[in-house]
Amino acid sequence: NLSTLHASHYETMGDAKTAQKRLQAICSHVFTKEWKYAQELIATANAISSPGKGILAADESTGTIGKRFKSIGVENNRDNRRAYRYLLASTPGLGKNISGVILFEESLFEKMPDGSNLVDGFKKEGVILGIKVDKGTRPLPGTDGELYTQGLTDLNLRCKKYYEFGARFAKWRAVVKILPGKGPSANAIQETAHTLARYAAICQDNGLVPIVEPEILMDGDHDLATAQMWTEKVIAACYSALRLQGVLLEGTLLKPNMVLEGADCKTKYSPAAHAAATVTALQRSVPVAVPGITFLSGGQSEEDATINLNALNQPGLGYRPWSLTFSFGRALQKSVLAAWGGKKENTKAAQDMLLLRAKANGDANLGKYTGYAANAGAAKQSTYVKNYAY
């Protein structure tokens, strides 16, 4: 209810009456009717954005997890997928630095041999369940190899089913390419913004907090200034579309790329430069109503992603009203997979690796990461894949 939301998230606003009025103003949205889910959406988005915590993105499709398994010599079958994801779900203490987990549909509904649900371990740790709801990318006609994301047709029915099973947030990945010499087309930007906004509105109508993910790929040789300019323009277009669709911004999260130079750029910039470019782009495009920005790792090594996240949370970068945290997949799991290797006897070693990387990124969200995980596992190995799709 409103008073409990005040107690956990609005204590800096003064007394309970002031906070209650603020929340009532948020929930009486000007574009749409007051949803029955409004207060829950706000509470969920704020809980995921809790200090020192972030998201474990474990939503790889069957094909993508197969590629990960191949790298460690493990067959891609249902038993192995279930075993690996149960390893993640059953990690003791995971909830200390992980506030939410994004799952592929198979994992959300997966049953264990004893009849329990695979996700019960996440629930026990207080980790909020999320679900990948897009159905992948396809070529966008009329463009130079740019992409659109599909999956809107039956999204309302699927969201209802996911909510009933216990999911409380969702993710939809859109992909934007910086084409050499010209950047993304206006067509691709408009398609990305409109589709993300429609997805977000449908999710909220069914009780799920939408993570808005307009990923600008690292592909190309563009410099940092170019990446900053296009990140700002794409995100600004997304929020224009979100407003048009009547999305409750306080009940959303943003999952952008960090602003980085292209993978083939000859100039390599420092974490401080990445942070300055990223924060500037966000300050110019993201409303203060959004509670959290949960960055994707985008092909960085585990350690580089953590170092860059830590740089984003250092003093001197100006006003940052949002929690700047992580929603990492490859940058949380590469060393975990290597430690596991498909062997049950390696479960604890793999879980310890997951806790180490989660703690490192939780500390980075607070600006307090000191580099203690730099030499663990595969921390310094790149996870970059050109034209990455999953």
Side-chain angles (χ1 to χ4, degrees):
N1 59 38
L2 292 176
S3 60
T4 58
L5 281 176
H6 154 256
S8 58
H9 301 299
Y10 292 91
E11 65 275 2
T12 60
M13 296 179 63
D15 59 32
K17 186 177 293 186
T18 302
Q20 188 176 51
K21 289 179 180 178
R22 164 67 171 148
L23 281 168
Q24 286 173 338
I26 291 171
C27 293
S28 59
H29 200 237
V30 295
F31 289 110
T32 64
K33 64 183 179 182
E34 183 177 348
W35 307 306
K36 63 178 179 179
Y37 296 114
Q39 294 175 37
E40 183 181 14
L41 293 168
I42 295 167
T44 298
N46 278 279
I48 292 172
S49 306
S50 297
K53 295 187 178 185
I55 297 171
L56 168 62
D59 57 327
E60 302 89 353
S61 66
T62 302
T64 297
I65 198 69
K67 295 175 185 176
R68 309 274 170 84
F69 281 179
K70 185 177 181 180
S71 72
I72 58 170
V74 173
E75 183 182 352
N76 182 19
N77 57 44
R78 183 176 176 181
D79 286 343
N80 286 336
R81 292 194 298 272
R82 179 169 56 196
Y84 175 64
R85 282 158 174 163
Y86 181 71
L87 178 158
L88 303 176
S90 61
T91 300
L94 185 65
K96 183 175 181 181
N97 295 113
I98 300 295
S99 53
V101 59
I102 310 171
L103 300 166
F104 192 58
E105 185 172 286
E106 179 184 71
S107 299
L108 180 65
F109 296 112
E110 185 64 273
K111 292 283 187 181
M112 300 305 295
D114 64 1
S116 63
N117 295 314
L118 184 150
V119 297
D120 287 348
F122 290 126
K123 291 181 178 179
K124 183 179 179 181
E125 283 290 329
V127 176
I128 301 169
L129 303 182
I131 179 73
K132 167 186 163 72
V133 299
D134 70 78
K135 293 191 173 182
T137 58
R138 292 291 185 273
L140 180 62
T143 67
D144 184 12
E146 294 176 285
L147 303 169
Y148 76 96
T149 303
Q150 58 183 356
L152 288 176
T153 302
D154 63 345
L155 182 58
N156 61 325
L157 301 177
R158 291 188 288 124
C159 285
K160 182 178 180 182
K161 177 177 68 173
Y162 301 145
Y163 182 89
E164 289 173 349
F165 196 77
R168 289 297 178 267
F169 71 102
K171 191 202 83 166
W172 177 290
R173 178 181 182 249
V175 177
V176 179
K177 297 181 179 182
I178 298 179
L179 300 175
K182 53 185 176 182
S185 68
N187 184 6
I189 294 174
Q190 183 177 1
E191 170 66 24
T192 292
H194 174 74
T195 306
L196 282 169
R198 289 298 304 129
Y199 139 80
I202 293 168
C203 282
Q204 288 192 335
D205 202 44
N206 289 278
L208 300 180
V209 168
I211 292 182
V212 176
E213 182 179 355
E215 177 180 359
I216 297 180
L217 298 177
M218 289 173 62
D219 301 2
D221 62 359
H222 51 273
D223 62 14
L224 190 62
T226 300
Q228 177 184 326
M229 175 184 70
W230 287 115
T231 298
E232 180 183 333
K233 288 186 175 183
V234 169
I235 292 175
C238 288
Y239 281 105
S240 178
L242 287 162
R243 290 189 185 94
L244 184 64
Q245 295 293 337
V247 173
L248 183 73
L249 297 183
E250 291 84 356
T252 67
L253 297 167
L254 177 67
K255 182 173 178 174
N257 52 281
M258 296 179 189
V259 176
L260 308 172
E261 66 275 15
D264 298 324
C265 180
K266 293 181 180 179
T267 302
K268 300 302 176 185
Y269 299 82
S270 67
H274 293 153
T278 302
V279 170
T280 299
L282 297 174
Q283 288 167 334
R284 293 172 174 174
S285 60
V286 183
V288 297
V290 177
I293 298 176
T294 62
F295 290 95
L296 56 91
S297 54
Q300 300 177 77
S301 71
E302 292 176 333
E303 188 65 7
D304 283 348
T306 304
I307 289 171
N308 280 321
L309 179 62
N310 191 66
L312 287 165
N313 288 291
Q314 296 305 304
L317 291 170
Y319 184 51
R320 288 157 287 175
W322 333 272
S323 172
L324 300 181
T325 191
F326 60 95
S327 178
F328 293 166
R330 289 170 283 175
L332 269 175
Q333 296 183 70
K334 188 174 181 66
S335 292
V336 177
L337 280 162
W340 175 58
K343 298 177 181 178
K344 188 174 182 179
E345 59 268 29
N346 292 339
T347 295
K348 186 179 185 304
Q351 291 177 331
D352 288 345
M353 188 62 70
L354 176 59
L355 292 174
L356 177 64
R357 293 295 349 159
K359 182 179 187 302
N361 288 299
D363 286 346
N365 167 248
L366 302 174
K368 296 180 179 179
Y369 177 62
T370 59
Y372 54 78
N375 297 313
K380 294 184 179 179
Q381 294 179 16
S382 174
T383 65
Y384 172 69
V385 177
K386 191 173 183 179
N387 289 317
Y388 180 66
Y390 69 109

